[in-house]
Amino acid sequence: MAKALREPKDTSAQAIARLREAGLRPTRQRVELAGVLFQSGDRHVTAESLHDEVAQTGVKVSLATVYNTLHQFTEAGLLRQVIVDASRSYFDTNTGDHQHFFVEKEGLLIDIPGESIAVAGVPAPPAGLSVDRVDVVVRVRRN
Amino acid sequence: MAKALREPKDTSAQAIARLREAGLRPTRQRVELAGVLFQSGDRHVTAESLHDEVAQTGVKVSLATVYNTLHQFTEAGLLRQVIVDASRSYFDTNTGDHQHFFVEKEGLLIDIPGESIAVAGVPAPPAGLSVDRVDVVVRVRRN
DNA sequence: TCAACGAATTAGAACAATTCTAAACTGTGA
DNA sequence: TCACAGTTTAGAATTGTTCTAATTCGTTGA
Ligand SMILES: [Mn+2]
Ligand SMILES: [Mn+2]
Ligand SMILES: [Zn+2]
Ligand SMILES: [Zn+2]
């Protein structure tokens, strides 16, 4: 049996463990969504793209549940939101320190490792404000 | 006559000149919007905030016209768009090189001068892509 | 000065993304 | 296996934005 091909049962088991650790009840829908999101490497999804992708695996999950789940996963620290577009939300399975290239026309996000990039000279915020995070978006386009 | 208090006629004349230079017909609505946008220093507005603000001066401009005008001003290089929120668009009268603090809960943008901030270590984008611009958003919150 | 014409404005409909509601269903612990 | 809180869902509602097509306006040439 090839090691590269994970068994569905493996993926489910991992997803269930991950959900339990996060304090989320492992429902059929959450297990399926977690499977799709976390079985491969780092991913960037929108609610709609994830909904479509899950639909293609044959499992039926409502769009409302996809939204609920993305928000719950984000609150639980399994995902983070990435803001690059004024009209839709992206969610990122990479919750570590990193930044993004964004290909606007394609809605495509590409990670930039946190170690490789640095922002210098950020002034102290005005009195009464403190820095939450610093986001860098490198907007790129096809040649 | 105090110099600090600009006459309406002055503001209009400036707005009309600015519109003509940009190749835009100086209609009553555009003159009014340009007046509000450009008479004071750098500003960050949303369509709705600008619409409300203009309404308070007693002038009636439809929301559709506010949207049209913001886009036309942006195409003409009088404004630029700032993306900090996944659900609404901000427009910035400062079209020069600079970055932003963003107070999410209040929808408030604060400029960071371009000279003070620097991004180092941006990798070359993947083949076939070229950098359009680099945006930095320093997300801050009230203490 | 004014008619004519293309440009601009507008109300309201349409749209897209997201959130809400409240009824049906399901996972879990006893 | 039951009961119940937690979850899912269809569909309605909401929000920000864009579109449509009818009206109004700004400019220009006579
Ligand atoms: Mn967009
Ligand atoms: Mn928001
Ligand atoms: Zn990422
Ligand atoms: Zn600015």
Side-chain angles (χ1 to χ4, degrees):
Chain A
M1 186 189 297
K3 194 179 183 182
L5 289 176
R6 288 222 178 98
E7 305 269 280
K9 212 181 277 175
D10 249 38
T11 298
S12 294
Q14 284 179 239
I16 290 170
R18 201 186 289 262
L19 290 167
R20 288 237 154 85
E21 279 165 43
L24 294 166
R25 213 192 260 199
T27 64
R28 182 169 50 76
Q29 292 86 343
R30 286 181 184 154
V31 171
E32 183 63 25
L33 291 169
V36 168
L37 284 171
F38 303 118
Q39 80 185 315
S40 50
D42 296 337
R43 308 216 34 201
H44 303 95
V45 302
T46 62
E48 210 194 343
S49 77
L50 181 58
H51 184 244
D52 290 354
E53 190 175 347
V54 163
Q56 282 175 334
T57 75
V59 178
K60 203 168 65 182
V61 179
S62 77
L63 188 55
T65 296
V66 173
Y67 276 105
N68 290 341
T69 303
L70 286 171
H71 289 137
Q72 290 153 355
F73 284 11
T74 300
E75 277 166 41
L78 301 176
L79 293 177
R80 68 177 249 216
Q81 227 175 322
V82 181
I83 296 177
V84 286
D85 189 296
S87 74
R88 63 151 140 261
S89 282
Y90 287 79
F91 293 85
D92 194 340
T93 60
N94 180 350
T95 57
D97 168 41
H98 71 288
Q99 305 297 346
H100 297 94
F101 288 114
F102 181 57
V103 190
E104 182 157 36
K105 283 183 72 172
E106 297 162 41
L108 174 66
L109 280 166
I110 301 165
D111 282 347
I112 300 175
E115 320 84 68
S116 82
I117 201 168
V119 178
V122 176
L129 297 171
S130 49
V131 175
D132 195 43
R133 54 179 301 138
V134 177
D135 288 335
V136 177
V137 177
V138 182
R139 293 173 190 279
V140 296
R141 42 172 209 252
R142 223 100 228 170
N143 293 332
Chain B
M1 187 191 297
K3 195 180 185 182
L5 289 176
R6 287 219 179 100
E7 305 267 282
K9 210 180 279 175
D10 249 39
T11 298
S12 294
Q14 284 178 237
I16 290 170
R18 200 185 291 260
L19 290 168
R20 288 237 153 85
E21 278 166 43
L24 294 167
R25 229 198 248 200
T27 63
R28 181 168 51 76
Q29 292 84 344
R30 296 210 277 226
V31 170
E32 183 63 25
L33 291 168
V36 168
L37 284 171
F38 303 118
Q39 79 186 317
S40 49
D42 296 336
R43 308 220 31 204
H44 304 95
V45 302
T46 63
E48 210 194 345
S49 78
L50 181 58
H51 185 244
D52 289 354
E53 190 175 346
V54 163
Q56 282 175 332
T57 74
V59 177
K60 203 168 64 184
V61 179
S62 77
L63 188 54
T65 295
V66 173
Y67 276 105
N68 290 340
T69 302
L70 286 171
H71 289 138
Q72 290 152 356
F73 284 11
T74 300
E75 278 167 40
L78 301 175
L79 292 177
R80 68 176 250 217
Q81 228 174 321
V82 181
I83 297 177
V84 287
D85 189 297
S87 73
R88 60 150 144 265
S89 282
Y90 287 81
F91 293 84
D92 192 340
T93 61
N94 180 350
T95 57
D97 168 42
H98 71 289
Q99 305 296 348
H100 297 95
F101 288 115
F102 181 56
V103 189
E104 182 158 37
K105 282 184 72 171
E106 297 163 41
L108 175 67
L109 280 166
I110 301 164
D111 282 346
I112 300 175
E115 319 86 68
S116 82
I117 201 168
V119 179
V122 176
L129 297 172
S130 50
V131 175
D132 196 44
R133 55 179 300 137
V134 177
D135 289 335
V136 177
V137 177
V138 182
R139 292 174 191 278
V140 295
R141 44 172 208 251
R142 223 99 227 173
N143 293 333

